Each structure stands twice: as C-alpha cells, then as structure tokens.
Amino acid sequence: MATIRIAYLYEDLMNTYGDSGDVKILRYWLNQAGYDVQVDDVSLDHEFNASDYDFVFFGGGQDYEQTVVAKDLFRHKNELAKFIDAGKPMLAICGGYQLLGDYYETSDGTVIKGLGILPLHTIFKADSRMIGDTEFQTEFGLVRAFENHSGRTYFDDKEKLQPLGKMVEGYGNNPEDGVEGMRYKNTIGSYAHGPILRNENIAKAITEMIIKSHDEWGGQATA
C-alpha cells in the first residue's frame, strides 16, 4: 500500500480552534482511498525537505506563538517556495496563511516579516476583531466555518492570487473585499477554522489534489 507523507508545520505551536482536525480528516479520506498516511511534526529545530512530502499543513496560532514561529520559519523558506511553486498541495490556516505573505503589521506598528513567498500582507486591527460563523462560495461548493482574527489580509498581486471563495456571511480576508482565503496553484490559505475540512466537499477536493500530486511526483525530487 502506498504511503502519503504529510508535513504538519509547528503542530505544537500552531493549532488553534481545532485546526489539527484538518489533518485527521485528510488521514481518514486518504485511508478510505487506500493509502497509508504518515504525519510528521516539523517544528523548532526540525528540518523540512520539499521532496519528502506530498502535502503540507500549516495551522493558526496565538500572537506569541506566531511570533516564535515567524523567527524559525525562515530556515524553510526555500524548500517551502519550491514545494508551492511545483504545484504540490498545501493548506494554510489563519496565522499560517498570513506567514506565507510579505509581512504582517501589529497594532503598535511593528512590522513582522513573513516568508514573502506569496504577494499578500496583513494588517492587525486589535480594536475590530472579526469573529463568528462564516459562509463562502468556492469552486468546491459552499463552505461553512468559523473565523476569529484581528488580521486583515490584502492581495498585492490580484492576477497571481485568486480568492478561495466569495463571502456569503462573515468577513473573510478583510471587511472590504468580500472574499475569503487565497488560492495559488494548489496552495490554499484560509481564515476558516472549525476545522474547515469538516466540509466534506472541500475535504474530498484536497484529498484528490494530494493523491494526484503523489502519483505525479512518485518520489521524484521537487526541482
């Protein structure tokens, strides 16, 4: 039986609002499809090689944990960029989503550098938290989830990045744009907790992406 390898980035630090449930749900659907699943926690002082994995998950975290992760994450910038640009599937939630961008600016004006892999940035507004149930329409169908964030994310290149969905209820990326999340190749970013993959439609879609990527690469190095 073939094995799917999943890298869970900073599982011990970035796991708010049930985000680890996304990995458990994917394991279930991959098992149903006939695959064994190996999940590796890639955390502080661990190494990440793009060619070793079929899927990367990056969850959300509290402000302090996110700051710790931001400092360590740059060790993996080149490998993550290779993984993403090769079209391998990745799901990044909330803080993980923000850290793929150029920077996020805190309420006191402090600018914390992100990886700069994707052309987006985030501005924190501590006095206007966006919290509550959320619904948005995606190419996979309607998604229902929960959001709780002060960060407002904006695309800096709207031709390169596409929204994951169009808002029906809630805030999404920010209060102005009416969209939720991001899609670039097979990398998806989202503010949706709950976890998001309790929505069977998007869970099955990402499962199919993972299987297709696994079959395509077949253990080949990610160039």
Side-chain angles (χ1 to χ4, degrees):
M1 184 180 292
T3 299
I4 299 287
R5 293 194 64 187
I6 294 175
Y8 189 153
L9 300 183
Y10 305 95
E11 178 180 6
D12 51 340
L13 296 169
M14 304 288 279
N15 177 28
T16 56
Y17 307 112
D19 288 341
S20 63
D22 286 320
V23 175
K24 294 174 182 175
I25 291 166
L26 286 174
R27 182 195 292 273
Y28 170 80
W29 286 113
L30 287 165
N31 287 161
Q32 291 294 107
Y35 292 85
D36 282 334
V37 179
Q38 176 182 327
V39 180
D40 294 340
D41 176 17
V42 180
S43 191
L44 303 177
D45 301 323
H46 295 170
E47 296 302 319
F48 170 79
N49 295 307
S51 59
D52 290 342
Y53 294 100
D54 302 295
F55 177 73
V56 172
F57 180 77
F58 198 3
Q62 301 298 324
D63 290 347
Y64 173 75
E65 286 80 4
Q66 188 166 333
T67 301
V68 172
V69 168
K71 293 177 181 177
D72 186 72
L73 190 60
F74 277 90
R75 297 186 299 113
H76 307 310
K77 177 177 178 177
N78 291 339
E79 289 297 306
L80 283 170
K82 283 197 296 184
F83 188 95
I84 290 169
D85 286 334
K88 286 188 165 185
M90 177 175 183
L91 176 61
I93 302 295
C94 202
Y97 170 29
Q98 295 167 354
L99 285 170
L100 294 179
D102 291 323
Y103 66 89
Y104 60 95
E105 182 178 327
T106 65
S107 299
D108 64 4
T110 301
V111 175
I112 299 175
K113 288 184 65 177
L115 287 176
I117 296 174
L118 299 178
L120 59 87
H121 70 276
T122 301
I123 306 295
F124 278 76
K125 299 287 186 181
D127 58 346
S128 57
R129 195 162 191 85
M130 291 168 280
I131 183 170
D133 292 331
T134 181
E135 290 187 13
F136 49 98
Q137 189 68 44
T138 74
E139 63 183 289
F140 315 117
L142 186 68
V143 173
R144 295 183 174 90
F146 173 78
E147 62 182 339
N148 185 358
H149 56 106
S150 296
R152 303 179 179 203
T153 293
Y154 300 89
F155 295 168
D156 298 315
D157 185 342
K158 293 185 179 181
E159 292 186 1
K160 183 173 183 177
L161 304 182
Q162 299 298 318
L164 173 60
K166 184 176 181 181
M167 296 307 302
V168 176
E169 177 185 352
Y171 298 95
N173 286 344
N174 59 67
E176 298 92 52
D177 292 343
V179 297
E180 210 289 323
M182 174 279 307
R183 176 85 183 265
Y184 171 70
K185 295 188 176 180
N186 286 321
T187 292
I188 291 174
S190 178
Y191 276 110
H193 299 287
I196 185 175
L197 297 188
R198 67 187 176 92
N199 292 271
E200 189 172 311
N201 51 352
I202 191 170
K204 286 186 173 180
I206 293 179
T207 299
E208 291 173 3
M209 288 181 198
I210 295 170
I211 293 171
K212 182 178 179 181
S213 177
H214 172 80
D215 293 345
E216 177 182 350
W217 288 98
Q220 303 173 46
T222 306

